[in-house]
């Protein structure tokens, strides 16, 4: 009888397990440390956009992969674009910035959002959102993320088949090569400062 309450107590404490985050972390090409740093930089990027251009937060999507920032969306004017770019460059820890920020067009049709939903439906089953993102801006398909070269070719070719004549802007990156440091065993006397 004493065993049952202990087991119930253990299961109640371990009730929340972030299986979705674990799945994304395992499927991602980036080392887990890089994923954590990118998440931190992503939050800083959101904060910067919110403080410097709060009106553009609804129209601009921001991403960080391997400490490289990406801004994708539509801006009202050149001044807004410059503010976004300059404020992003001030974030410490970012190694680069790529952007696709055209000025808003007056005539707006719904084909971009329909195409984006269709492309995301194709990509999501194969690659988690932490690995690849697709955005459609003014009938331009922007693909972002971290994929091996063979996967990049495959995804780009498949997107081109679905999107047809729509222009594809490729912001995909290759995974970082982890350097394996070979540990050399030393005699015990070196450990004590001989």
């Amino acid at each position: 009888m004493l065993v049952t309450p202990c087991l119930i107590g253990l299961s109640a404490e371990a009730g929340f397990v972030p299986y979705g985050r674990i799945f994304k972390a395992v499927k991602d090409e980036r080392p887990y440390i890089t994923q954590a740093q990118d998440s931190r930089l992503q939050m800083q990027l959101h904060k910067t956009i919110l403080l410097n251009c709060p009106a553009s937060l609804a129209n601009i999507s921001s991403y960080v992969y391997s400490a490289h920032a990406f801004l994708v969306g539509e801006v009202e004017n050149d001044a807004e674009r410059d503010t976004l770019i300059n404020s992003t460059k001030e974030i410490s820890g970012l190694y680069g910035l790529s952007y696709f920020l055209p000025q808003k067009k007056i005539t707006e049709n719904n084909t971009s959002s329909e195409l984006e939903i269709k492309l995301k439906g194709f990509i999501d089953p194969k690659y988690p959102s932490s690995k690849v993102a697709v955005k459609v801006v003014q009938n331009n398909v922007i693909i972002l993320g971290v994929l091996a070269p063979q996967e990049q070719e495959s995804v780009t070719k498949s997107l081109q088949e679905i999107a047809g004549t729509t222009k594809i802007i490729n912001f995909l990156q290759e995974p970082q090569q982890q350097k394996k440091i070979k540990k050399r065993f030393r005699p015990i006397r070196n450990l004590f400062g001989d």
Side-chain angles (χ1 to χ4, degrees):
M1 292 195 76
L2 293 176
V3 175
T4 307
C6 291
L7 291 177
I8 292 171
L10 287 175
S11 63
E13 290 178 21
F16 176 73
V17 180
Y19 291 114
R21 182 66 190 139
I22 293 169
F23 174 75
K24 288 179 179 182
V26 170
K27 294 290 278 183
D28 204 319
E29 298 284 337
R30 299 171 291 169
Y32 191 72
I33 285 280
T34 304
Q35 292 178 45
Q37 290 169 344
D38 287 348
S39 293
R40 181 183 55 80
L41 289 169
Q42 177 74 33
M43 288 191 308
Q44 287 179 341
L45 184 55
H46 277 298
K47 180 181 174 183
T48 301
I49 293 171
L50 182 63
L51 292 175
N52 295 317
C53 294
S56 63
L57 196 60
N59 301 321
I60 304 298
S61 297
S62 60
Y63 308 90
V64 176
Y65 294 104
S66 302
H68 189 95
F70 298 91
L71 297 175
V72 178
E74 295 178 312
V75 293
E76 294 291 333
N77 51 39
D78 292 338
E80 182 181 0
R81 180 186 303 115
D82 292 341
T83 303
L84 285 167
I85 292 168
N86 292 331
S87 60
T88 301
K89 288 181 180 178
E90 293 175 4
I91 298 173
S92 64
L94 288 176
Y95 296 130
L97 169 66
S98 298
Y99 55 89
F100 182 71
L101 299 169
Q103 220 167 347
K104 279 186 184 176
K105 291 184 178 177
I106 295 171
T107 58
E108 190 63 34
N109 54 13
N110 221 9
T111 58
S112 289
S113 60
E114 291 172 7
L115 179 61
E116 186 172 329
I117 291 168
K118 187 177 180 181
L119 293 173
K120 283 183 179 180
F122 167 75
I123 293 264
D124 281 347
K126 295 180 183 177
Y127 305 103
S129 60
S130 65
K131 193 172 180 178
V132 176
V134 176
K135 189 78 178 157
V136 178
V137 178
Q138 295 181 358
N139 290 326
N140 294 294
V141 176
I142 299 97
I143 183 164
L144 311 106
V146 179
L147 290 176
Q150 303 87 352
E151 291 178 313
Q152 286 185 24
E153 259 184 57
S154 172
V155 167
T156 306
K157 185 178 177 182
S158 299
L159 287 178
Q160 190 66 54
E161 290 172 3
I162 294 171
T165 58
T166 305
K167 182 180 177 183
I168 294 181
I169 299 171
N170 186 347
F171 283 150
L172 290 173
Q173 296 179 326
E174 290 185 23
Q176 298 172 344
Q177 296 297 325
Q178 288 183 344
K179 295 179 182 176
K180 293 185 179 181
I181 301 171
K182 199 173 191 179
K183 293 184 180 179
R184 206 174 92 198
F185 292 104
R186 299 175 188 260
I188 293 179
R189 67 175 188 266
N190 286 347
L191 294 175
F192 297 108
D194 266 344

